[in-house]
Amino acid sequence: MAPHPISEPVVKKDHDLKMSGRALYAADHYPEGLLFAAALRSPHARARILKVTPPELPPGHIYADHRDIPGPNEIPIVNCDTPVLAVDAVQYVGEPILVMAGPDERAVRKLLSRVRVDYEVLEPELDVKTAGTTYCDYNFGRGDVDKAMAEADKTYDEEFETFYQEQAYIEPQGLVVRWEEGKIIARGSMQCPYYVHEALVHAFALPEDKVRVVQDVTGGGFGGKEDFPSNLACLAALCAMKAGGRPVGLFLGRAEDMECSTKRHPSVSRYRAAVKNGRLTALDIDVVFNAGAYTTLTGVVLLRGVASCVGVYKVDNLRVRGRGVKTNTVPCGAYRGFGAPQTVFAVEMFMGHIAGDLGLDPLDFKIAHLAAQGDLTSTSGRYHHPVPLPAMIEDAVKNSGYREKRELCKRQDGRLRRGVGLSLWFHGAGFAGTGERDFIKARVRLVKSADGRVEALASNTDIGQGLKTTFAKIVAHELGIPLDRVTACSPDTDRCPNSGPTVASRSIMTVGELFRRAAVKLREGWADGVEQVFEDDYVQPDYIIPYDYDRCRGDAYATYSWAACVVELEVDLLTGVHRVLGVWGCFDAGTPVDRTILTGQMEGGLLQGIGYSSMEQMKYDRAGRIRNKTFSDYLIPTAMDVPLIKVTLHVEKFPEGPYGAKGAGELPLPGVPAAYLSALEQAMGGIPVRHAPFSAEETLAAVMEAGK
Amino acid sequence: MVSGLHPRRLNEALAAMADPGVIALAGGTDLMVGETETERRFLYLHNVREMRGLRETPDHLVVGAATTFTEVLESPLAPPLLKEAVSGVASPAVRNAGTVGGNVANGSPKADSALVLMVVDAVLLIASARGERLLPVADFYLGGKKVDLASDELIVEIRLPKSRLAPHYYCKVGGRRALAISRLSFAGLFRQERGRIRHLAAAFGAVTDVIFRDRCLESMLVGLEIPEAKKLRQDFLAAYGAALVPTSGRVSKEYRRSVALNLLGDFLTVFGV
Ligand SMILES: Cc1cc2nc3c(=O)[nH]c(=O)nc-3n(C[C@H](O)[C@H](O)[C@H](O)COP(=O)(O)OP(=O)(O)OC[C@H]3O[C@@H](n4cnc5c(N)ncnc54)[C@H](O)[C@@H]3O)c2cc1C
């Protein structure tokens, strides 16, 4: 099949701006009279606030605490339990208590250090296994798990654990807010302008048209700028409210950002399985995500976690429990993969371990259990579209030499040992459940000017993933006009309809399709020499099995993107250090709207997956503090850490996506740790790995222990 | 911008250093990481002719203190061990700016080129307007990041005795393959003549507060024939095991100890002991 013409790569719309260094990020704007705001944050994981004594305020400085908030002291995310500012208690290290602003950032920080807070320090809850508060508890399944367990030839029972992952976007969080004639204008680094809009409307008790949010050029997000900018915007707006029209900037330094912004949820998953006649007959899965102090996005992150917990396999008897548990730690949030990386890691390792015990190659055991079109998903929805994994596996296996290498690595000696591992996964494309129809109700708008230029208006943000280019490509292609006649703007809530957040790998698949359909309308109604406006709204496809949120039943996703990945690595038995030799990824995200952009997304996500497998170590200590909050303590892979990444694209067109495109952004990451760590298992001579990331230090301890 | 002085000759630089308000800046790759707003004036060393480049004397290889890592890598004079260690420093950009002198002066036990200087018994030429002195690099480190350098002194050059440049073993353990500070590093030198060990040196970086070297332990094997040394191998390793008391940091002390002993053992194995 010939590739679709839209896949032909183009120069990105913002290429020149960014490559020339002229792109202005939130902290690059120095509007006249800018004041700098900073928050006083809790040093304790759990404490009562007894008394706050601010220092005397020098002229030109602003002080604000929860009493200044005009509306409810709440940040609406999914629920409203996150306060803008702490009132009489703090729940995690880094929780904001009050905020100050002034013309000099250092002076503001010095002033903050002179605020006296009397705390009654309390014992924090830090262990998910013993913590007392459960924020969400999902239970679902099918068949008869107990019976299958009772009748099994053999049962398996393992526990898997994952830790934090920090998004490590290159531009720290930051915004500038001003009040202008009773209206808040906020601009900055963000993924979801309408989330920030909603938060400001809520906390400041304003009508919707009295809040305007504009996205600035944003230096990466990866989920980290989904909900968190709402917190910062409220803090900056509180100061701006008292600033007499002067703009107030709130820019986090790297350490503050790493300490108090969201990260990937740590998880503990217990997997039990029944096997009869060499076949998997039942899975009993209990997943616990560490939510942190407030609910924030945990409910939805966990939903994706449990929806992915069976991996790409077919199983008749299934019991799943998923809980999001409160601890006195920084609230976790979105990070590329959104709950899936934790469970995909667990199920892929588990399948590999069972295969090993049965004397089979993990790949053969996995292939024997692959789900196919029409089969039930974990939540008893359906795989409505073809499952292209067999062809993709063949591709990844051939490119990587998986089978030969796996065989060769069985016999080796010497200081350096190699291993090769493979993993398979899907990524549910778009919003979970019927969220698109029920909550998001996306709308896009095309504005054609009299001279025939077209502007594409939506609230989805280009955060480096190329959306300005790909949206424009879709519209230009459908209209049959040159790409330079179409622009996709940076969202501005005063001008752009709400097409939903830039999350869930939904922008191209869902919003891109709305643009395509709006472009069809424009093409059909095109009139020269006049301005024209066309809109399009989301309609749910007919085939969807409605998702029941209480019972976790139905289609969790409209369709699925697919991945097969092989990692080959080498371990130094003297030091425990790993070296990645090659990564081969075969990805199906439907029709690429731009092959170069899509390949870039896949490579970047693979690299983040490699970090999550190995060097990206972040935990909290016994006081609930994150100690490594700089880039010299929290290491992410460099180009030197991956000598070879080979991405191939498989195209299984999605009939409801633009030209067949489906969710791509999050696809490359979730399964990497399983491929990496099964390669590590093989290199270590079969020592099982049950947590990610797995450090050089742990590797050395494991091989030395085994060698005794 | 910070104001600065740009001397071209050593005597000008030393005269300027007499002012306690002046601080030496070579590549700035350590200095600029810390507080950049300072009342002190920077004395830029990169133009000081006497402090630049590599040269040879009959007995020594001399490295100017303000020689950058990149220059070391590009020099045909630089010994392979020094090149190997320097090639593992940071990234090309940092290597273009960072200097060998700065690496020593910062007093860190994690300094990768300093490890080499320790294992080859390098000698520092230190000067001030008051005069100059020669100091073995081992004596330069006073413990806990303190170094034997007065506020008006500069390290001018570093002399590597040619007699010490023996076949080597080197390994750096970092958290990743570039831009990674050593979590442990090891350099060993070994020379034998007709089956008898003539020289053995072993230095460990990032284990304790100063680069670790113990000449007394090294001498256990020096002068022995290989088969005799083999018999003492276990005792030798055990003695290091007892002497090395690592600190914990980004990795645990147990890890540091295991890796240090593994590498020491491998060093012996590679040289047939
Ligand atoms: C991102 C990054 C990665 C790094 N990775 C590594 C690494 O992998 N391995 C490693 O060893 N180091 C590493 N470093 C540290 C640093 O690059 C080295 O220590 C380098 O050698 C410092 O040299 P410099 O010339 O830049 O020193 P400067 O910053 O200029 O000076 C450092 C100190 O030494 C003093 N000084 C400098 N020259 C002299 C002199 N001739 N006489 C007296 N005093 C002097 C200065 O006053 C200052 O106190 C890294 C640094 C960064 C920023």
Side-chain angles (χ1 to χ4, degrees), chain A residues 410-463:
Chain A
K410 282 182 182 158
R411 286 166 299 277
Q412 48 184 335
D413 47 29
R415 174 175 174 178
L416 301 176
R417 304 285 172 90
R418 289 187 178 194
V420 57
L422 175 146
S423 65
L424 308 172
W425 69 98
F426 64 68
H427 197 70
F431 240 81
T434 41
E436 286 289 350
R437 185 193 63 190
D438 301 339
F439 308 119
I440 306 294
K441 302 183 172 77
R443 164 175 295 179
V444 301
R445 185 181 304 143
L446 289 179
V447 179
K448 192 208 84 178
S449 60
D451 64 0
R453 264 178 243 282
V454 179
E455 195 178 12
L457 300 179
S459 61
N460 297 88
T461 50
D462 192 323
I463 50 178

Side-chain angles (χ1 to χ4, degrees), chain A residues 35-40 57 61-75 83-87 96-102 175-180 183-186 196 199-206 211 229-250:
Chain A
L35 301 177
F36 293 91
L40 181 73
L57 211 59
H61 286 73
I62 292 165
Y63 171 97
D65 64 22
H66 68 93
R67 292 165 302 182
D68 296 296
I69 302 167
N73 180 13
E74 297 169 348
I75 300 167
V84 176
L85 287 168
V87 179
I97 298 166
L98 54 90
V99 59
M100 289 173 122
L175 294 120
V176 177
V177 179
R178 82 166 91 216
W179 281 70
E180 228 173 72
K183 180 165 180 164
I184 302 180
I185 300 168
V196 176
L200 291 170
V201 164
H202 188 80
F204 289 83
L206 289 169
V211 174
S230 302
N231 305 30
L232 295 186
C234 289
L235 301 183
L238 263 186
C239 293
M241 192 175 72
K242 297 181 159 193
R246 288 175 75 172
V248 175
L250 202 165

Side-chain angles (χ1 to χ4, degrees), chain A residues 271 283 285 306-315 318 320 347 378:
Chain A
Y271 272 64
L283 277 174
I285 300 167
V306 291
S308 308
C309 73
V310 174
V312 296
Y313 308 108
K314 185 176 142 77
V315 59
L318 175 67
V320 178
V347 70
S378 62

